[in-house]
Amino acid sequence: MEKVVQAGGCLCGAVRSEVTGEGSNSHCCSCRNCHQHTGAPTVACVEFARDQVRWTGTAGAPATYHSSAYSSRAFCAARGSCIGAIDDAPTVALLVGSFDDTAQAAFKPEYHSFDDARPGGWSPAPLLMSRVWRVAQRRVSETGLRASCETWCMRRNEKSTPKRARADD
């Protein structure tokens, strides 16, 4: 069986990773540490054994901050991009958004941890299931572009939304 290699990294490219094999425990998290680390109400992570992850960028391994009794938050020291968490146990939880190809079926969250800490009225489900989002993910994956899916989605929605007549027309 051929080994699966997945690559990803930070926004500036200084921290890059290659992961060999399949990840596990793909999930969304809304814990306070994830809120503060990323600035987002929920993050999507996938876990790998430490020996599955190889740091390949010019910065080597990401910088870390020991954020709890068992885990450190990983980030790019050059520009601050969030990478994920490196647990004291031999587990590396990488943010799904840090991968070059985020549309992999293995990255679909299986559950939501700290769901009770999710901001009131906010749910990732509509976005995860959105047809426009799936098309955007496939388009980025097929073209190999590292373009912003959000920007593509906004443009797509603008094209499909009927233009309203202006009062002065």
Side-chain angles (χ1 to χ4, degrees), residues 3 13 25 29 36 43 47 52 63 67 91-92 98-99 105-106 116 136 139 165:
K3 290 186 178 185
N25 202 25
C29 184
Q36 291 181 315
V43 298
E47 297 179 1
Q52 287 180 271
S67 57
T91 302
V92 177
S98 72
F99 285 94
D116 58 334
R139 183 181 181 115

Side-chain angles (χ1 to χ4, degrees), residues 14-89:
V15 176
R16 295 285 301 161
S17 63
E18 285 185 357
V19 180
T20 305
E22 295 292 328
S24 63
N25 202 25
S26 183
H27 65 284
C28 288
C29 184
S30 290
C31 75
R32 186 69 182 141
N33 282 337
C34 283
H35 287 179
Q36 291 181 315
H37 178 58
T38 65
T42 293
V43 298
C45 303
V46 62
E47 297 179 1
F48 298 90
R50 192 179 301 244
D51 62 358
Q52 287 180 271
V53 181
R54 185 169 66 101
W55 303 107
T56 60
T58 57
T64 58
Y65 171 74
H66 203 73
S67 57
S68 69
Y70 58 88
S71 185
S72 295
R73 302 298 154 167
F75 59 94
C76 169
R79 304 290 184 276
S81 295
C82 303
I83 304 295
I86 301 175
D87 293 347
D88 294 342

